[in-house]
């Protein structure tokens, strides 16, 4: 499902990401907390132009600083979309470890956290084609920057937040790969 392409404009990258958010994350209710910030337009979409780790690191630092200083009523969360790099899931995972070190170095751990989405996302105990992986599959590699306070409030307001993962797995198993591929935001590599 990778839509990575250097020929896509930032607007196209954001539009595909928003379609994924609306149709999969919110539409399938994979994250019951996403709808509120989406409806209130509190999500910042930042398209990275970085191709190397040093460029990505600088952009990540800037976005973490911006989010930590922004009014949560205006920007509650950020999706740092990386269409030109980290296409390999193992490299992406390595960069996630590096990103967490950046968070710690900036002394923002405990205030912000980073969630992960990738076109080839694979849980450690899953096969590459297992439908369960699709709960974290996105059109492009994404670093989701979240406020800890927002997560705490959302979890407190949601009955049985610990059941979200199992509910997602059941939803995806019922949908199946053919159902996922029929979602309008899914663009095959031939169409990219």
């Amino acid at each position: 499902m990778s839509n990575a392409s250097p020929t896509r404009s930032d607007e196209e990258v954001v539009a595909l990401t928003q379609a994924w958010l609306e149709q999969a994350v919110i539409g399938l209710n994979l994250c019951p907390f996403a709808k509120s910030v989406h409806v209130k337009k509190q999500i910042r979409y930042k398209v990275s132009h970085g191709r190397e780790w040093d460029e990505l690191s600088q952009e990540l630092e800037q976005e973490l600083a911006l989010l930590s200083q922004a009014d949560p009523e205006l920007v509650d969360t950020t999706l740092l979309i990386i269409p030109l790099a980290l296409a390999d899931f193992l490299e992406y995972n390595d960069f996630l470890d590096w990103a967490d070190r950046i968070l710690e170095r900036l002394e923002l751990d405990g205030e912000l956290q980073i969630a992960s989405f990738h076109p080839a996302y694979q849980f450690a105990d899953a096969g590459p084609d297992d439908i369960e992986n699709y709960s974290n599959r996105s059109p492009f590699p994404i670093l989701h920057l979240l406020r800890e306070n927002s997560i705490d409030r959302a979890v407190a307001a949601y009955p049985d937040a610990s059941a979200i993962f199992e509910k997602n797995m059941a939803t995806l198993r019922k949908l199946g790969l053919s159902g996922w591929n029929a979602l309008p935001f899914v663009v095959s590599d031939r169409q990219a």
Side-chain angles (χ1 to χ4, degrees):
M1 178 179 75
S2 176
N3 294 313
S5 169
T7 60
R8 288 197 191 279
S9 69
D10 287 0
E11 293 78 17
E12 291 172 313
V13 169
V14 169
L16 277 169
T17 302
Q18 288 174 330
W20 160 74
L21 179 74
E22 292 167 358
Q23 297 162 19
V25 177
I26 295 170
L28 297 174
N29 199 28
L30 297 178
C31 178
F33 317 127
K35 185 175 183 177
S36 175
V37 292
H38 174 67
V39 169
K40 294 177 185 175
K41 299 187 183 317
Q42 295 171 318
I43 302 172
R44 175 174 163 79
Y45 297 89
K46 172 63 177 166
V47 178
S48 168
H49 296 124
R51 294 177 184 267
E52 303 296 331
W53 279 36
D54 61 336
E55 297 167 306
L56 297 173
S57 297
Q58 288 175 4
E59 289 178 328
L60 175 60
E61 284 187 35
Q62 291 169 355
E63 290 304 313
L64 288 167
L66 188 148
L67 183 61
S68 72
Q69 297 167 12
D71 178 348
E73 291 299 316
L74 300 175
V75 180
D76 189 64
T77 190
T78 299
L79 295 178
L80 179 56
I81 311 161
I82 307 169
L84 304 177
L86 305 178
D88 178 82
F89 183 60
L90 295 178
E91 181 187 9
Y92 174 80
N93 267 332
D94 290 342
F95 188 79
L96 276 176
D97 290 338
W98 181 250
D100 283 335
R101 287 196 286 272
I102 291 171
L103 192 66
E104 291 171 12
R105 183 174 50 77
L106 297 175
E107 298 180 354
L108 293 172
D109 53 321
E111 180 183 339
L112 303 177
Q113 68 175 252
I114 303 171
S116 58
F117 297 95
H118 192 277
Y121 195 96
Q122 182 178 344
F123 290 107
D125 57 348
D129 297 325
D130 289 354
I131 190 67
E132 291 82 1
N133 296 319
Y134 286 74
S135 68
N136 287 60
R137 289 208 177 163
S138 55
F140 308 98
I142 295 174
L143 299 176
H144 183 188
L145 314 181
L146 300 134
R147 296 175 188 273
E148 293 272 351
N149 289 343
S150 296
I151 295 167
D152 293 343
R153 278 192 313 275
V155 168
Y158 190 82
D160 201 12
S162 62
I164 293 171
F165 179 79
E166 285 304 318
K167 182 184 162 298
N168 287 350
M169 297 306 105
T171 297
L172 290 167
R173 285 184 204 110
K174 183 177 179 182
L175 181 67
L177 189 54
S178 62
W180 179 271
N181 287 332
L183 292 171
F185 78 89
V186 177
V187 178
S188 73
D189 290 331
R190 290 174 306 220
Q191 296 170 304

